[in-house]
Amino acid sequence: MERVLVTRALPDDWLEPLAAAGLELDVIEQDEAPSDELLRSRAPGCAALLVMLGDRVDAALLDAAGAQLRAVATMSVGVDHIELAACRARGVAVANTPDVLTDATADLAMALLLALARRLAEGEALLRSGAWSGWGPQQLLGRDLAAARVLIIGPGRIGSAFARRVVAFGARVAYHGRRRRPELEAELGAHFEAELDTALTRAEVLSLHAPLTEATHHLLDARRLRLLPRGALLVNTARGPLVDEAALVEALRDGHLAGAGLDVFEREPAVHPGLLTLPNVVLLPHLGSATQGTRRAMADLATGAINAVLRGASPENLISS
Ligand code: DGY
């Protein structure tokens, strides 16, 4: 019987497709990411790994698993935790979960933007503190999204879905990415920005949707954060290391940025202590895809890919590069 290592506790019905295919399941029954050592101790002899973001899939893990390993499926669209070249070199197929989490993640980015623009966290804190003394004409004045200039970095599936949402709120969208998206321009009147630095100088709101690669690590460093106009808002639902978190804290602290809505952090689950004390940030624990329907669909895609690879097929959600 071939064995699949599942790196977190998951509901039985999510794993049912693997059991139904006659695979033996070895589940690490915990919610938090297992240590590298624990992963390496459980991987030997597995035919497939069902992993999550936060589980490092590197050459050492692949070698510990052994030459019979044929598939790694991750319940995430991001694959920055997986050494793709090491998988490729060992003939291990890698699958992720695109499309099914697009709406949930774009919804969350929109929720963060609305929370920032209308100062929801500050309002709630005021109310809960007991210090609210009633309606005031200048109290917690926020920002209008109508006509706001929103820049999207990474206009892929999630970035495009977010663009549709902000256009529905009346905002104007510009985007920067590796290639031009004529369909986005035709559908939403989106404006292509070829030069990132120039694009930043024009953005009132910046939302990040790019994958994390060597090239995008600290894409927003201290210099680029300062190119944003004073008072800009930043939303990040992509990956924390796209932003230099220490520089972000400084830019928020001295008021260069008016606020940041962050679902991802540079060293998850650690959060820069400076962020925790700032009133003008909304911080979430990486909830982008966290809806019941979405997570179930992600599990279905991941288990489906493992079953397909183990029977010699090539599912659509294989990472090709
Ligand atoms: C992903 O799938 O990469 C997301 O970050 C999960 O929410």
Side-chain angles (χ1 to χ4, degrees):
M1 205 181 200
E2 291 189 298
R3 186 157 54 90
V4 178
L5 178 64
V6 180
T7 63
R8 310 293 169 89
L10 296 178
D12 287 345
D13 58 324
W14 292 14
L15 296 174
E16 169 55 24
L18 297 175
L23 297 165
E24 182 193 342
L25 299 180
D26 177 10
V27 181
I28 299 180
E29 294 284 355
Q30 60 186 50
D31 286 333
E32 68 278 8
S35 65
D36 292 349
E37 292 71 30
L38 179 54
L39 281 177
R40 283 201 293 268
S41 72
R42 295 282 280 267
C46 285
L49 307 176
L50 174 49
V51 304
M52 319 284 143
L53 58 92
D55 303 336
R56 196 198 338 242
V57 181
D58 56 10
L61 179 62
L62 299 171
D63 289 341
Q68 77 300 321
L69 182 73
R70 306 212 297 288
V72 172
T74 179
M75 267 183 61
S76 62
V77 69
V79 290
D80 45 282
H81 54 302
I82 301 178
E83 280 183 17
L84 296 178
C87 291
R88 206 167 30 244
R90 290 161 181 77
V92 175
V94 178
N96 67 343
T97 56
D99 296 316
V100 294
L101 46 65
T102 297
D103 283 330
T105 310
D107 284 351
L108 196 88
M110 195 65 219
L112 282 171
L113 175 53
L114 286 169
L116 283 181
R118 300 304 304 274
R119 305 177 65 178
L120 300 194
E122 291 167 85
E124 214 211 5
L126 174 68
L127 201 93
R128 284 182 191 269
S129 74
W132 186 46
S133 54
W135 186 89
Q138 296 187 65
Q139 196 173 73
L140 288 175
L141 301 185
R143 304 260 287 266
D144 295 306
L145 287 185
R149 291 192 307 271
V150 177
L151 173 66
I152 290 170
I153 297 184
R157 298 178 186 88
I158 299 170
S160 300
F162 177 74
R164 285 185 196 98
R165 282 156 176 76
V166 291
V167 165
F169 277 79
R172 293 172 289 166
V173 169
Y175 69 97
H176 172 82
R178 275 173 308 174
R179 64 181 182 84
R180 204 161 173 161
R181 303 249 172 197
E183 72 289 355
L184 216 54
E185 296 175 25
E187 181 191 342
L188 301 175
H191 169 71
F192 176 60
E193 293 274 16
E195 283 294 321
L196 177 56
D197 285 5
T198 312
L200 291 171
T201 64
R202 298 198 264 249
E204 291 169 282
V205 172
L206 170 62
S207 189
L208 301 179
H209 300 280
L212 176 62
T213 63
E214 269 177 36
T216 61
H217 184 266
H218 281 193
L219 187 69
L220 274 194
D221 56 12
R223 183 187 68 83
R224 287 214 170 106
L225 283 167
R226 299 281 160 179
L227 290 178
L228 287 161
R230 192 168 180 82
L233 302 174
L234 169 71
V235 173
N236 189 2
T237 52
R239 284 293 181 268
L242 295 177
V243 183
D244 179 339
E245 218 165 69
L248 174 63
V249 168
E250 283 316 305
L252 287 161
R253 223 178 237 156
D254 67 21
H256 185 77
L257 293 186
L262 307 174
D263 187 42
V264 289
F265 302 91
E266 199 171 341
R267 292 174 195 84
E268 291 179 20
V271 177
H272 192 294
L275 287 172
L276 298 172
T277 59
L278 289 168
N280 51 342
V281 296
V282 180
L283 308 173
L284 298 178
H286 207 143
L287 294 179
S289 63
T291 73
Q292 296 191 10
T294 298
R295 286 282 162 81
R296 174 61 204 251
M298 291 164 75
D300 285 348
L301 260 189
T303 56
I306 288 175
N307 281 341
V309 171
L310 294 189
R311 65 166 188 270
S314 182
E316 276 184 14
N317 52 323
L318 283 190
I319 302 286
S320 52
S321 57

